[in-house]
Amino acid sequence: MGRTLAEKVWDDHVVRRAEGEPDLLFIDLHLLHEVTSPQAFDGLRLADRKVRRTDLTIATEDHNTPTLDIDKPIADPVSRVQLETLRANCAEFGVRLHSLGDVEQGVVHVVGPQLGLTQPGTTVVCGDSHTSTHGAFGALAFGIGTSQVEHVLATQTLPMARPKTMAITVEGELPDGVTAKDLILAVIAKIGTGGGQGYVLEYRGSAIRSLSMEARMTVCNMSIEAGARAGMIAPDETTFAYLEGRDHAPKGADWDAAVAYWKTLATDEDAVFDAEVFIDANELTPFVTWGTNPGQGAPLGANVPDPASFEDPQERIAAENALTYMGLTAGTPLREVKVDAVFVGSCTNGRIEDLRAAAAVVEGRRIADGVRMLVVPGSVRVALQAIDEGLDKVFTAAGAEWRHAGCSMCLGMNPDQLAPGERCASTSNRNFEGRQGKGGRTHLVSPQVAAATAVLGHLASPADLSDAPQLVEA
Amino acid sequence: MEKFTSHTGRAVPLRRSNVDTDQIIPAHWLKKVTRNGFEDGLFEAWRKDESFVLNRPERQGATVLIAGPEFGTGSSREHAVWALQNYGFKAVISSRFADIFRGNSLKNGLLTVILPQETVERLWAVVEADPQAEVTVDLEAREVRAEGVNAPFELDENVRWRLLNGLDDISITLQQEADIAAYETGRPAFKPTTTPVG
Ligand code: SF4
């Protein structure tokens, strides 16, 4: 019987298989950042162990880093200690680190792919749930906990139980103005935040094939919000074209051997998935979340739902609580929801294509009075590329703030936070209570919707902009 | 992980039930970046009271904690185990432990021993009557001994084997080092490394 993409990559990494035991998997790439690694390094030190494969390990600073005044000492003592600890650990154990101020610094899931380290058919782990991002290349990529980080550092392997597989087939063509973010939000709304539990998702179908690498990363990134262990997309010409020439991509004869191998990874025609979901791309529209988990989303053209309309009592209660926290009234058109802030960035939508999309919307326009818009590139490389294309000027001319690379307002761990009660249209991935700052209210959206929302001051798509005030040139 | 074969030491009688992990180590300690240095956070709130058993001079240097039922309930933080170990405890005796806490403790080499509540009461009586009384937790013989007490206990055979040999998950994987090395030899040359290029 044929095998799926996930099964092929899994099988190629089994170091040891024994009856009644989890498989021992070899890890090709281990990504580190400052938050989940300190106790792992400490564990190594206590047991007098080394990092087995420093040449398969790389670290970057992202969660705690400020996006302003990066040449000044970090003000928050807890953040400073975490960063200093990572620096000391990497120096002591010989791990390559890209610190704040370095040209390769950035959000860990943006840095790995842009260096060409994330490749088809590899296993990638990181002490961070959004490691699923790397699955866009046909890599098997898992988020892991601190004790597992230590395990990988010491052994370059991980004992793991074989996951089940789920096919998410998206056929058709995404309508104009509908993006990968809308697609994945619709998938999560359909299967629920627990729908992917225990599964590796494989996104397939014509709509997925036509996505760029950036867009594929957006989709795989949020697999975790559907509860899945990982998300994957079979590598194809788009993948190869993205990788070719990157720093760590194979060169010469190695490139040919690699491509030949990568081409064997696609799911066999007679392979069987443990579960299947079908989605019609033609029916998708811009999507926004109205609640406090990523599954509480609806088309932008819809109204805030009435909790009473949920049959499941748990969902009804969750919806009631969400509306209270979000300060929303059932029946309000989502387009009438006014925002205080807009955040464009994160490992979901902080890549160059996302910045281009947002810039195209705000170009020649002003963002609405009273709205604060933060644009945060996912990495320094993305920032440099954007500056090269003049995107930073487009944003600042429109009244937005152009910041330094990092996780920024995706989570309340650095100075970029919402004030209590503030409402934000955000291109990030989590809308949990307090995620962007205590009491902050988050609506997850695509970069295009975020930009249109910034211009109009309420949730909106670029299509709503025709009657928006145009900047009059002097 | 240190091997655990048998341990003898003075004990602290903690006559409280439902001691949750928030009491063992309060949340504000979780920002730390190390696995050690949690000893001052252990039972932090209770230790503000001078008469709390851990504060008494005769209990200094004790290494066995004898607690009431449902020890370690609440949040799954592994820091609770680290705090007990950092303080110097080698074993905790109770009639019932919360599952996750027990799993964490055995993974880290802190031996959690389940004894019937009446045995726990007898041990309390012994160590309260004589603070110098020693308690032996013998993993090889699978029994707890103190003056007038000789109590057998049960433990999963695989877990016992790991503790006796001082094997954590990493140690066990490292025993398969030959398999890992063999796998590494067979990896294709085109696989990426993080070694800086150029
Ligand atoms: S950008 Fe957000 S989701 Fe991504 S790694 Fe940073 S904090 Fe996590």
Side-chain angles (χ1 to χ4, degrees):
Chain A
M1 196 176 76
R3 292 179 302 160
T4 64
L5 164 66
E7 288 163 342
K8 290 182 187 183
V9 181
W10 184 282
D11 289 344
D12 282 351
H13 290 83
V14 175
V15 168
R16 188 187 131 91
R17 179 172 284 164
E19 188 60 33
E21 285 177 29
D23 286 351
L24 189 64
L25 283 196
F26 191 82
I27 304 303
D28 287 318
L29 177 64
H30 189 188
L31 305 160
L32 298 169
H33 62 88
E34 74 273 16
V35 180
T36 50
S37 64
Q39 271 98 0
F41 278 114
D42 213 37
L44 290 187
R45 228 177 337 255
L46 289 175
D48 202 15
R49 289 180 177 131
K50 294 187 312 230
V51 175
R52 182 182 177 90
R53 294 295 300 266
T54 51
D55 64 332
L56 303 182
T57 312
I58 189 168
T60 175
E61 301 171 355
D62 52 10
H63 287 65
N64 284 272
T65 52
T67 58
L68 283 174
D69 299 329
I70 63 158
D71 45 345
K72 303 219 179 90
I74 292 163
D76 176 49
V78 176
S79 295
R80 193 170 61 229
V81 168
Q82 285 203 328
L83 292 171
E84 282 168 358
T85 305
L86 180 70
R87 289 169 196 175
N89 282 331
C90 287
E92 179 182 342
F93 288 89
V95 171
R96 174 175 170 188
L97 165 69
H98 293 294
S99 278
L100 190 59
D102 184 298
V103 70
E104 299 297 351
Q105 180 259 339
V107 181
V108 65
H109 309 307
V110 178
V111 169
Q114 82 188 8
L115 280 171
L117 283 167
T118 303
Q119 294 179 14
T122 57
T123 45
V124 181
V125 297
C126 175
D128 187 280
S129 53
H130 290 98
T131 308
S132 58
T133 313
H134 307 265
F137 291 80
L140 190 55
F142 297 104
I144 57 177
T146 294
S147 47
Q148 290 174 304
V149 170
E150 184 182 340
H151 196 283
V152 176
L153 286 173
T155 70
Q156 203 57 35
T157 64
L158 211 50
M160 289 189 97
R162 204 182 166 90
K164 295 177 288 179
T165 58
M166 181 189 288
I168 309 246
T169 306
V170 192
E171 294 290 356
E173 216 175 301
L174 290 175
D176 258 4
V178 179
T179 69
K181 182 65 163 283
D182 305 306
L183 191 163
I184 188 63
L185 285 174
V187 168
I188 299 164
K190 177 162 178 154
I191 71 173
T193 50
Q197 226 154 56
Y199 291 99
V200 170
L201 311 182
E202 183 184 331
Y203 303 96
R204 31 197 289 125
S206 56
I208 300 293
R209 294 260 71 83
S210 61
L211 294 178
S212 68
M213 282 318 295
E214 274 93 347
R216 292 179 189 187
M217 285 189 253
T218 302
V219 171
C220 288
N221 173 276
M222 290 192 72
S223 303
I224 195 76
E225 271 66 47
R229 299 186 53 188
M232 300 177 89
I233 294 173
D236 58 12
E237 294 303 326
T238 305
T239 323
F240 309 153
Y242 178 96
L243 277 170
E244 194 166 13
R246 291 198 181 253
D247 272 10
H248 291 270
K251 307 269 158 25
D254 278 347
W255 172 261
D256 298 333
V259 172
Y261 169 63
W262 297 344
K263 285 183 172 167
T264 68
L265 293 172
T267 293
D268 295 325
E269 274 185 24
D270 56 343
V272 179
F273 289 91
D274 298 302
E276 295 214 51
V277 171
F278 294 92
I279 290 185
D280 183 354
N282 304 293
E283 287 181 357
L284 295 174
T285 66
F287 225 76
V288 302
T289 61
W290 47 265
T292 51
N293 75 54
Q296 292 175 322
L300 177 63
N303 297 341
V304 175
D306 183 351
S309 66
F310 290 93
E311 273 173 33
D312 181 297
Q314 295 298 331
E315 278 186 42
R316 192 179 316 138
I317 294 168
E320 278 166 11
N321 292 340
L323 293 196
T324 306
Y325 180 84
M326 293 294 290
L328 293 173
T329 313
T332 311
L334 284 165
R335 273 200 169 82
E336 286 177 13
V337 175
K338 291 198 164 59
V339 304
D340 308 295
V342 171
F343 170 59
V344 175
S346 87
C347 60
T348 311
N349 283 126
R351 284 170 287 267
I352 189 67
E353 196 174 272
D354 304 309
L355 301 192
R356 284 182 193 138
V361 175
V362 299
E363 183 153 28
R365 299 191 165 94
R366 287 288 303 175
I367 63 174
D369 284 345
V371 174
R372 170 165 75 116
M373 182 184 192
L374 243 63
V375 183
V376 187
S379 71
V380 178
R381 288 276 178 211
V382 170
L384 293 175
Q385 173 75 29
I387 291 168
D388 205 44
E389 297 177 18
L391 304 184
D392 59 327
K393 296 274 171 1
V394 171
F395 287 118
T396 50
E401 296 177 46
W402 172 255
R403 296 293 188 89
H404 187 78
C407 293
S408 183
M409 210 187 252
C410 178
L411 90 173
M413 208 167 191
N414 57 67
D416 302 341
Q417 302 199 15
L418 294 179
E422 266 193 320
R423 185 182 301 283
C424 179
S426 176
T427 66
S428 56
N429 45 51
R430 284 185 173 153
N431 53 344
F432 300 150
E433 292 186 13
R435 167 78 177 183
Q436 295 191 287
K438 208 168 172 211
R441 295 161 169 165
T442 304
H443 296 273
L444 299 177
V445 297
S446 71
Q448 286 86 333
V449 168
T453 299
V455 171
L456 290 172
H458 57 79
L459 293 175
S461 77
D464 302 326
L465 279 175
S466 45
D467 51 4
Q470 306 283 310
L471 187 69
V472 183
E473 296 287 331
Chain B
M1 198 162 98
E2 262 179 64
K3 288 183 187 180
F4 194 114
T5 46
S6 180
H7 175 79
T8 301
R10 286 180 293 113
V12 174
L14 184 65
R15 283 189 181 265
R16 298 189 192 222
S17 60
N18 281 293
V19 175
D20 65 57
T21 50
D22 238 288
Q23 289 163 326
I24 300 174
I25 186 83
H28 70 92
W29 281 85
L30 309 192
K31 289 180 190 165
K32 277 178 61 66
V33 292
T34 56
R35 249 175 226 227
N36 43 26
F38 289 96
E39 56 274 16
D40 292 340
L42 181 68
F43 302 126
E44 188 178 51
W46 294 340
R47 276 160 79 184
K48 294 200 173 109
D49 171 4
E50 259 176 51
S51 63
F52 178 57
V53 62
L54 222 62
N55 289 335
R56 296 207 206 114
E58 70 271 20
R59 300 294 166 191
Q60 301 314 303
T63 51
V64 179
L65 183 67
I66 308 171
E70 307 296 353
F71 188 84
T73 58
S75 129
S76 64
R77 60 190 69 160
E78 211 164 319
H79 307 66
V81 173
W82 301 337
L84 286 160
Q85 288 182 312
N86 293 166
Y87 187 85
F89 286 112
K90 304 284 184 210
V92 185
I93 298 170
S94 168
S95 62
R96 219 156 48 203
F97 292 96
D99 275 353
I100 297 178
F101 173 81
R102 183 138 207 262
N104 286 342
S105 69
L106 297 172
K107 260 198 176 138
N108 282 276
L110 176 73
L111 182 55
T112 39
V113 179
I114 303 174
L115 291 177
Q117 186 57 29
E118 66 252 30
T119 313
V120 172
E121 303 272 355
R122 275 164 56 212
L123 287 169
W124 276 339
V126 170
V127 304
E128 279 170 356
D130 175 11
Q132 296 307 315
E134 294 199 319
V135 175
T136 296
V137 180
D138 187 338
L139 183 58
E140 277 181 321
R142 256 186 295 216
E143 56 185 29
V144 171
R145 293 184 297 270
E147 205 191 313
V149 179
N150 197 330
F153 65 87
E154 291 185 17
L155 190 67
D156 176 84
E157 201 35 57
N158 183 268
V159 171
R160 179 167 167 266
W161 167 77
R162 287 183 180 209
L163 286 166
L164 284 174
N165 293 290
L167 298 174
D168 50 45
D169 279 357
I170 296 178
S171 314
I172 290 169
T173 299
L174 286 175
Q175 290 187 338
Q176 274 118 44
E177 210 279 327
D179 291 335
I180 301 173
Y183 182 90
E184 284 173 328
T185 315
R187 284 179 85 227
F190 59 73
K191 289 277 185 173
T193 75
T194 58
T195 311
V197 290

